[in-house]
Amino acid sequence: DLENKKNVTLIKFQKLKINYDNESTNKNKTINGINKISVLNSKLNTKYKFKNEKFTFESVNSKLNNNNIEYNGLLNLKPFDLNLKIDLEKIYLRDLLNVDSILFQLFKSGQLFNSNLSVNISLNSPGVLDHRLINDLKLKFNIKDERINFNNSSITINKIGAITLTKSKLTYKDFYLMFSGDFVFNIDDHDKFFYFFQTPKNNRKPIESINFSIDFDFQNNQLILNNVNINKIKLNLETKTIIDNFNLAKKSKKINLIELKNLINRIINSYHEG
């Protein structure tokens, strides 16, 4: 519509069940519009505005695979700077941690380690469906000056406490991807903590927090536990030996829940004896 400077685009892929609908107006060097994308059980409706190389947007009654989703953000094109907030009604952790996902492939390609990129994404979901103990996820994803981190991300362990990632970095060099992170597990109810980990009663003394650091080698699928201390008490020799033996024994094998419980109880025992 040339008179009203209005543009409407509608594309339908019937066999793929994909609908694309975009309606916008261009007045006073400002584009306002609403974009609607429908794919099977997902409907992403986005209200947006573009002016002076800045693109602002927000969701309107959107769903992602029958999952309520709200999002809003600001994108600057020159230079590229994205701030995005996403609220999901429910989520599967396995989708986030899948090393074969598109996001992890981008990590491994090194394309996100770019000095021209600045990204700040916040993802919140109160419903984690594939882990019965986790009931709240807050994920922070940041790119700045070729550096990637997930600082201040956290998960809530139902009726026990919360684990926060206080400091982290994702490094890439010569096709080698490594994650390093410092965590703190703040425990609200140590009785429930001991019950879950089946800690022997003679070792059940109040625990306020557990700090630990890990490295994860994506190329070799190897988890390395660097440091553990309880109630901010300095690591003793016995605990260090337990950690070293764990790292030597595990190598590239994944740790299961029984092994995790045994490891935690050995560390707790060494902490009380220290």
Side-chain angles (χ1 to χ4, degrees):
D1 184 343
L2 298 178
E3 182 178 353
N4 295 304
K5 296 183 179 181
K6 184 177 181 180
N7 179 45
V8 178
T9 303
L10 177 61
I11 304 174
K12 292 185 177 183
F13 302 90
Q14 293 183 351
K15 290 185 178 181
L16 299 176
K17 296 183 179 179
I18 299 175
N19 293 333
Y20 174 87
D21 185 2
N22 186 80
E23 183 176 319
S24 64
T25 58
N26 189 344
K27 295 181 179 180
N28 301 321
K29 297 182 180 181
T30 301
I31 299 175
N32 288 282
I34 184 163
N35 182 278
K36 300 178 181 179
I37 300 175
S38 174
V39 183
L40 297 176
N41 295 321
S42 298
K43 294 182 179 180
L44 300 179
N45 304 321
T46 307
K47 185 178 179 181
Y48 63 88
K49 178 180 179 180
F50 182 72
K51 184 178 181 180
N52 297 330
E53 303 295 336
K54 292 184 179 181
F55 185 76
T56 57
F57 57 94
E58 62 179 336
S59 61
V60 181
N61 298 324
S62 294
K63 286 186 177 293
L64 186 63
N65 292 327
N66 290 324
N67 185 7
N68 290 329
I69 180 173
E70 294 182 2
Y71 51 87
N72 62 78
L74 169 64
L75 172 63
N76 286 303
L77 297 181
K78 294 181 181 180
F80 187 93
D81 184 6
L82 173 64
N83 284 276
L84 173 63
K85 181 182 178 182
I86 304 172
D87 291 301
L88 270 175
E89 180 184 15
K90 50 194 176 184
I91 197 170
Y92 286 95
L93 271 185
R94 63 172 179 262
D95 294 335
L96 285 177
L97 301 177
N98 181 7
V99 294
D100 295 321
S101 67
I102 294 175
L103 180 59
F104 272 93
Q105 294 306 315
L106 282 173
F107 287 151
K108 292 177 181 179
S109 72
Q111 294 180 21
L112 294 180
F113 297 87
N114 191 318
S115 60
N116 296 319
L117 285 180
S118 177
V119 176
N120 188 343
I121 298 176
S122 172
L123 171 64
N124 303 313
S125 179
V128 179
L129 299 181
D130 50 345
H131 289 268
R132 60 184 179 85
L133 283 177
I134 301 175
N135 57 8
D136 195 11
L137 168 70
K138 298 183 187 300
L139 177 65
K140 311 291 184 182
F141 174 57
N142 304 287
I143 304 176
K144 187 72 173 179
D145 298 328
E146 300 184 44
R147 299 178 181 178
I148 296 178
N149 71 70
F150 305 87
N151 296 353
N152 300 316
S153 297
S154 66
I155 55 174
T156 299
I157 312 298
N158 189 26
K159 299 180 181 180
I160 295 177
I163 300 176
T164 302
L165 178 55
T166 58
K167 184 180 180 181
S168 67
K169 64 179 179 179
L170 193 67
T171 56
Y172 176 84
K173 185 177 181 181
D174 298 329
F175 303 102
Y176 188 82
L177 188 67
M178 172 74 78
F179 169 80
S180 301
D182 297 336
F183 297 81
V184 58
F185 187 179
N186 290 308
I187 299 169
D188 297 326
D189 192 324
H190 53 259
D191 289 332
K192 289 184 172 61
F193 171 85
F194 289 136
Y195 176 80
F196 175 77
F197 283 101
Q198 299 177 341
T199 304
K201 290 187 177 181
N202 59 325
N203 286 336
R204 296 188 178 189
K205 296 181 180 180
I207 294 179
E208 303 267 337
S209 64
I210 300 176
N211 292 70
F212 60 98
S213 301
I214 66 167
D215 289 330
F216 188 82
D217 178 352
F218 286 92
Q219 184 173 356
N220 299 307
N221 193 31
Q222 183 179 5
L223 174 69
I224 302 168
L225 186 60
N226 291 317
N227 183 36
V228 178
N229 65 64
I230 297 175
N231 291 344
K232 300 181 179 180
I233 294 177
K234 187 177 179 180
L235 186 75
N236 62 37
L237 181 60
E238 183 179 354
T239 306
K240 186 178 185 305
T241 302
I242 292 170
I243 294 172
D244 290 342
N245 290 336
F246 165 79
N247 290 331
L248 288 172
K250 291 310 298 176
K251 294 184 178 178
S252 63
K253 298 178 182 178
K254 293 182 179 180
I255 185 171
N256 59 42
L257 184 58
I258 294 176
E259 290 173 321
L260 176 62
K261 288 181 178 180
N262 290 336
L263 174 64
I264 292 297
N265 283 320
R266 288 198 300 272
I267 290 174
I268 290 173
N269 183 58
S270 69
Y271 151 74
H272 286 307
E273 288 182 355

